[in-house]
Amino acid sequence: MKERIIKVKVSAGAKTEKIEEIAPDVFKIRVAAPPEKGKANSRVAELLAKHFEVPMSRVLLVSGQTYREKIFCIQM
């Protein structure tokens, strides 16, 4: 199974949700979910799964659980 490691900068509590690739394997994501109890992290994982067309179970948060800058592993 191929893995892709990506860096993500998250803005939680945004009015509109958006995902944009600002450099190879570097994304800026805005989510409406609040940054509490993992809600924003879950929403980011959902958006990444949709973007890469993989099940959510293949999107893993590697680091940055409580930070704006995170690293995700996408299992292709």
Side-chain angles (χ1 to χ4, degrees):
M1 183 179 302
K2 183 180 167 190
E3 292 184 346
R4 186 169 174 186
I5 303 297
I6 62 167
K7 293 181 181 180
V8 177
K9 185 171 183 180
V10 178
S11 293
K15 289 186 178 184
T16 58
E17 294 191 327
K18 182 179 181 182
I19 181 170
E20 68 178 297
E21 189 168 6
I22 56 176
D25 293 333
V26 180
F27 291 81
K28 186 174 182 182
I29 301 178
R30 296 177 188 183
V31 294
E36 56 190 36
K37 298 181 184 175
K39 291 178 184 177
N41 289 339
S42 294
R43 185 62 184 142
V44 169
E46 288 173 17
L47 291 174
L48 288 171
K50 184 177 179 182
H51 179 80
F52 288 104
E53 299 177 351
V54 297
M56 252 195 68
S57 61
R58 294 194 176 182
V59 178
L60 307 170
L61 178 58
V62 176
S63 69
Q65 181 76 24
T66 59
Y67 298 101
R68 290 181 57 166
E69 294 185 7
K70 305 173 184 300
I71 296 178
F72 280 88
C73 175
I74 313 296
Q75 298 174 336
M76 309 298 251

